[in-house]
Amino acid sequence: MAKLFIFGIGGTGARVVKSLTFLLASGVNIKASEIIPIFIDPHGANEDLKRANFLLDCYQKIYDKIEFKNNQFFKTKITKLSELIPTISKAENETNDEPIQKLHSKDFIFTLKDTKNKKFKDFIGYNEQGLGQSNKDFINLLFSEKNLESDMDKGFKGNPNIGSVVLNQFVESPHFRYFAQNFEENDRIFIISSIFGGTGAAGFPLLLKNIRNAKHPIKNCAFLQNAKIGAITILPYFGVEGSDKKDIDEGTFYSKSRAALAYYLNNICGNNSLNVLYYLCDTIKKAYPNDPGEGGQKNDAHIIETIAARMIIDFMQFTNDQILSEDGKAINPIYKEFSTYDFKDEKPMILKNFCDETRTLLSKSLMNYFYFYLYLTFQFKNSIEKQPWSSRGEIKFDANFLNPSEMQDTILEKLNGFNSHYWDWLVEMARNKRSFQPFDLGFTQHDIHKVDLFKLTNGFDEKKFITGLPGKKHFAYFDHLLNKAERKIGDIPQSQKFMSIFYLAAAEFVSKKFNFKEN
Amino acid sequence: MNDFFASFYEIWGLAMIGQNGEFSNALYDNNLYQLIGFFIVFSSCLFFFMFYYWPINHPRWNKTWIWFVFFLILCLILSITLTIMINTQFQTLQKDFSITEYLTFGFLNFIYSFILSSIILPLLFKRWSINCCRTPKFLTFKKYI
């Protein structure tokens, strides 16, 4: 299996990667040896970007602590670009025009240079001496007064004309060079962007052009030119409130989308730049608060983003022979859309509304992780040191595991951090429009022990069978399965034992208690 | 088998029930020790012990106090049932014994059934119960704690 480089451009890019992270944590299978997400967003204070970056960091730390013999949660490796080690030999490195330099970056974000506390006009040197009046007039034709006065560190506020200038620096950046150095023959690239904003609409064609046109001295330029590239372009799926007085105007979303699509027709589809292109849109939209950047831009998670993440998995299911490229062009490019069935517009979507392939891919994994989350959040503390799974054998889960003296970097601490965002993700998708409610989240901390857990997955029937006494259900049944799994796993290092027994118990809980055939 | 069970009940002749051991002798002479022994072994083993550690085998029932109450009640019921059975037998045989002798006999039944069903058998076999392998904790080999 090959590596997959994912470029998440703008806020939508970050949110799609966030959804992908939750799918991968749930154990959804993606055919990639490792995933390297790279966020391109000038708006460093973007809360969605920060959330995605934090989640990926948590994911990595959890991944590093476990092995995957009996566990499918968090099984896909996610790596920071800076953590990759180029495969070019030392001799080649020395003789090469441009020696490899280590990329110093602590996170997944590509940081733009010279944008901090700068206006766009300063970035392009509008006021510099030597720029004649005719040049200024030409700039004035391309950019409005508002464009020129825009703060660069708050994003492009839905202006792709600004983005296409500023994002040009990515190709010159150490990030791009390091990405090229680490790119191997069968590795793949996926680009996520929205078409109706500023950053995504501008960044996507720019990035694609630079990859397809990679030339010496960029390392592995031949691999890049003929790389297998997939992309998703997301059409308007949310609106903004009070557009008329703010920088971001929802009224322009469709006109900008049409203009961008017309550009893509000639410059992306027309010249076969992409191997696979996915289009995604929705007719029902929720208006978010109009935040051009000051408030941190924290949008609720949306089903569209989860479907976009599913498209990435779809892209990796193509064999190498199906998505060939030659001379910097894709041979037989593929264009795909996504559809669902059996639901009405205003009705919340559930897992059952997905078509067979997606439902099969997602349902079990999402349910496994959901019940794992419920147990860990609401029952774990009650069962620890009381159930055999926590205290049998040499490797135990006791009070020290629950409250370690050094809180840093324990698997439980990382899981708790990750899971608080997981819950937010479910809640946000449920309350958004279009609403996605795979699970009934209408329980409280106090009544969860009385709720019938098997009725919390919407659209799936419970299999009726005798599990012993009537009380051996819900969390007690989960405890029973944990006790059973613990016997199977035996004594292995603590973090691995923890994840293994929980995965086995959750998987059996779901597969034994839910009827997948009839749905 | 009558001799075998009699040895336990009479503690090898050290604890005979009744005046001059009349109650114990009556049990022995009428081969009742055999009946009592099998009754206790089978009910303790097959019913109490097996029932708690396998069919019930419940993750919410594996607390020490529940275990204690469960066996206490069942052993009491067993002891009372057995005492009534023996009383009926003796009435048929027209043998008359005092309430103290029946109480002593009932107490011995309780002790033996409790020791067998909740201590000896669990000590040997409870490790194979999925949810109750550590119940009660104080009767768990260190290796399995």
Side-chain angles (χ1 to χ4, degrees):
Chain A
M1 282 195 287
K3 296 195 290 286
L4 170 65
F5 291 87
I6 299 177
F7 289 94
I9 309 178
T12 306
R15 288 190 294 275
V16 171
V17 172
K18 185 180 80 176
S19 291
L20 179 70
T21 311
F22 289 124
L23 295 189
L24 298 180
S26 307
V28 174
N29 191 33
I30 185 166
K31 289 179 182 167
S33 62
E34 61 185 307
I35 288 174
I36 304 103
I38 303 159
F39 294 120
I40 301 176
D41 195 336
H43 186 196
N46 185 330
E47 288 296 329
D48 288 331
L49 185 68
K50 284 185 193 168
R51 283 203 289 186
N53 193 55
F54 171 80
L55 277 171
L56 288 168
D57 200 53
C58 278
Y59 185 107
Q60 268 199 310
K61 286 183 175 138
I62 294 165
Y63 177 92
D64 289 344
K65 289 183 183 296
I66 48 184
E67 283 179 5
F68 302 93
K69 197 179 166 191
N70 292 297
N71 167 41
Q72 300 289 301
F73 292 146
F74 299 90
K75 70 171 176 177
T76 305
K77 189 177 184 187
I78 294 181
T79 311
K80 289 184 183 94
L81 179 63
S82 58
E83 289 166 350
L84 291 176
I85 298 160
T87 48
I88 296 169
S89 67
K90 198 181 170 189
E92 193 186 342
N93 190 24
E94 281 165 2
T95 55
N96 215 303
D97 303 339
E98 192 182 282
I100 290 168
Q101 288 176 344
K102 189 87 188 86
L103 178 69
H104 298 287
S105 175
K106 284 180 188 168
D107 51 32
F108 297 88
I109 305 167
F110 159 64
T111 318
L112 286 166
K113 269 188 198 168
D114 300 327
T115 53
K116 200 140 195 163
N117 300 323
K118 256 192 182 176
K119 293 192 184 302
F120 180 59
K121 64 179 181 186
D122 300 325
F123 183 83
I124 58 172
Y126 184 79
N127 290 329
E128 273 178 21
Q129 285 182 342
L131 189 76
Q133 190 56 43
S134 54
N135 283 330
K136 280 191 178 181
D137 291 342
F138 184 63
I139 290 171
N140 290 336
L141 271 177
L142 296 171
F143 303 102
S144 67
E145 183 69 28
K146 223 175 181 179
N147 287 163
L148 291 169
E149 293 296 328
S150 293
D151 288 326
M152 285 294 84
D153 50 6
K154 290 197 176 110
F156 307 137
K157 301 175 186 176
N159 296 298
N161 53 342
I162 303 178
S164 58
V165 174
V166 181
L167 289 174
N168 254 317
Q169 65 168 267
F170 179 67
V171 232
E172 306 294 329
S173 69
H175 274 79
F176 189 79
R177 284 202 296 276
Y178 203 69
F179 151 69
Q181 284 159 5
N182 284 284
F183 194 84
E184 292 172 292
E185 191 172 4
N186 284 318
D187 288 349
R188 297 186 186 190
I189 298 166
F190 198 91
I191 305 168
I192 309 157
S193 63
S194 66
I195 203 168
F196 57 101
T199 315
F204 165 45
L206 205 67
L207 178 65
L208 183 62
K209 187 186 80 182
N210 284 304
I211 293 170
R212 285 293 187 213
N213 296 334
K215 288 189 175 67
H216 188 78
I218 293 173
K219 288 191 173 68
N220 299 322
C221 55
F223 293 158
L224 283 176
Q225 283 168 17
N226 293 322
K228 294 161 194 356
I229 308 177
I232 185 155
T233 184
I234 305 180
L235 292 137
Y237 70 101
F238 62 83
V240 287
E241 291 168 351
S243 296
D244 48 335
K245 290 175 191 165
K246 298 269 187 162
D247 290 344
I248 299 175
D249 181 4
E250 188 189 333
T252 64
F253 281 4
Y254 282 103
S255 55
K256 279 195 289 188
S257 299
R258 272 195 293 272
L261 283 171
Y263 176 80
Y264 291 2
L265 181 67
N266 295 319
N267 298 286
I268 290 176
C269 308
N271 61 7
N272 290 2
S273 292
L274 279 171
N275 296 88
V276 189
L277 177 59
Y278 297 91
Y279 293 101
L280 206 52
C281 72
D282 200 356
T283 47
I284 296 177
K285 289 192 287 289
K286 182 180 178 181
Y288 294 147
N290 196 324
D291 173 20
E294 287 86 352
Q297 199 189 341
K298 191 177 179 182
N299 292 356
D300 277 356
H302 196 287
I303 174 67
I304 284 285
E305 292 145 11
T306 305
I307 294 169
R310 189 263 176 271
M311 300 292 92
I312 302 172
I313 295 163
D314 183 76
F315 171 65
M316 294 309 286
Q317 282 170 336
F318 287 106
T319 60
N320 283 340
D321 296 338
Q322 287 174 302
I323 45 173
L324 291 170
S325 302
E326 200 174 23
D327 301 328
K329 306 269 180 212
I331 302 169
N332 298 324
I334 299 162
Y335 301 96
K336 292 183 106 174
E337 289 182 317
F338 186 86
S339 66
T340 55
Y341 65 71
D342 190 29
F343 72 99
K344 296 197 170 58
D345 266 358
E346 291 299 331
K347 221 174 140 188
M349 266 187 76
I350 56 175
L351 286 167
K352 207 177 165 184
N353 296 135
F354 289 131
C355 297
D356 293 351
E357 197 185 338
T358 301
R359 197 173 64 233
T360 310
L361 181 83
L362 301 184
S363 299
K364 271 192 184 175
S365 300
L366 285 177
M367 287 160 77
N368 288 348
Y369 199 85
F370 178 69
Y371 286 105
F372 164 59
Y373 164 82
L374 286 185
Y375 186 93
L376 205 60
T377 310
F378 300 108
Q379 180 59 32
F380 185 68
K381 283 180 187 170
N382 300 332
S383 289
I384 206 160
E385 288 191 326
K386 288 177 188 150
Q387 292 299 329
W389 66 260
S390 73
S391 45
R392 225 177 70 84
E394 295 292 325
I395 305 297
K396 296 178 174 49
F397 304 102
D398 50 16
N400 286 337
F401 182 77
L402 198 62
N403 300 306
S405 47
E406 290 173 22
M407 273 300 281
Q408 271 74 37
D409 268 6
T410 64
I411 192 161
L412 197 60
E413 191 247 343
K414 289 291 157 202
L415 270 171
N416 288 337
F418 187 88
N419 281 346
S420 68
H421 284 267
Y422 170 76
W423 178 251
D424 291 345
W425 180 62
L426 292 178
V427 170
E428 287 174 12
M429 281 198 296
R431 73 181 175 209
N432 215 328
K433 276 185 183 174
R434 157 175 336 259
S435 173
F436 179 51
Q437 298 181 14
F439 308 110
D440 182 356
L441 308 176
F443 54 84
T444 64
Q445 197 173 349
H446 304 292
D447 66 11
I448 182 69
H449 295 277
K450 294 171 197 160
V451 167
D452 186 347
L453 295 184
F454 307 123
K455 291 197 166 67
L456 293 183
T457 301
N458 294 324
F460 282 87
D461 300 327
E462 181 192 348
K463 273 189 212 167
K464 298 284 180 195
F465 69 98
I466 298 165
T467 56
L469 283 188
K472 201 199 273 181
K473 56 183 184 177
H474 313 323
F475 286 132
Y477 185 54
F478 204 103
D479 267 321
H480 167 71
L481 296 174
L482 281 170
N483 290 334
K484 207 172 142 188
E486 193 278 335
R487 285 174 172 265
K488 191 179 170 188
I489 297 297
D491 283 337
I492 53 175
Q494 196 181 43
S495 299
Q496 289 170 39
K497 182 174 178 177
F498 178 78
M499 288 307 287
S500 298
I501 64 171
F502 271 89
Y503 175 77
L504 290 177
E508 194 173 343
F509 187 88
V510 169
S511 60
K512 275 207 170 164
K513 289 299 292 184
F514 290 98
N515 210 339
F516 288 92
K517 282 180 186 168
E518 288 174 19
N519 288 278
Chain B
M1 292 310 283
N2 198 41
D3 289 331
F4 176 77
F5 288 116
S7 309
F8 281 96
Y9 268 82
E10 293 168 4
I11 316 176
W12 290 271
L14 294 174
M16 304 290 280
I17 306 170
Q19 203 171 14
N20 300 322
E22 279 175 13
F23 190 93
S24 299
N25 288 335
L27 288 171
Y28 184 81
D29 293 342
N30 293 289
N31 277 336
L32 289 174
Y33 276 128
Q34 191 168 310
L35 174 78
I36 297 162
F38 280 118
F39 194 82
I40 284 193
V41 167
F42 281 108
S43 355
S44 304
C45 178
L46 290 179
F47 191 68
F48 303 170
F49 163 73
M50 297 281 278
F51 191 60
Y52 179 83
Y53 285 96
W54 279 278
I56 293 182
N57 184 29
H58 200 290
R60 295 289 170 271
W61 281 40
N62 60 10
K63 298 174 178 72
T64 302
W65 72 268
I66 293 179
W67 166 87
F68 184 74
V69 170
F70 179 89
F71 282 101
L72 189 76
I73 291 170
L74 286 183
C75 291
L76 267 174
I77 292 169
L78 173 72
S79 160
I80 292 164
T81 313
L82 208 48
T83 309
I84 292 168
M85 272 170 62
I86 294 303
N87 177 260
T88 317
Q89 284 284 328
F90 282 158
Q91 277 178 0
T92 317
L93 296 167
Q94 293 180 332
K95 289 184 184 294
D96 197 22
F97 294 106
S98 69
I99 186 84
T100 323
E101 287 157 340
Y102 280 109
L103 280 176
T104 314
F105 173 70
F107 179 71
L108 277 174
N109 288 332
F110 173 78
I111 295 290
Y112 281 123
S113 62
F114 194 81
I115 289 174
L116 190 64
S117 66
S118 63
I119 297 177
I120 296 176
L121 291 171
L123 208 58
L124 296 173
F125 302 111
K126 76 185 170 92
R127 73 184 71 166
W128 287 290
S129 167
I130 288 176
N131 298 314
C132 303
C133 59
R134 295 180 60 257
T135 315
K137 262 187 196 173
F138 61 85
L139 278 182
T140 309
F141 287 122
K142 199 182 172 190
K143 190 182 170 189
Y144 297 99
I145 293 174

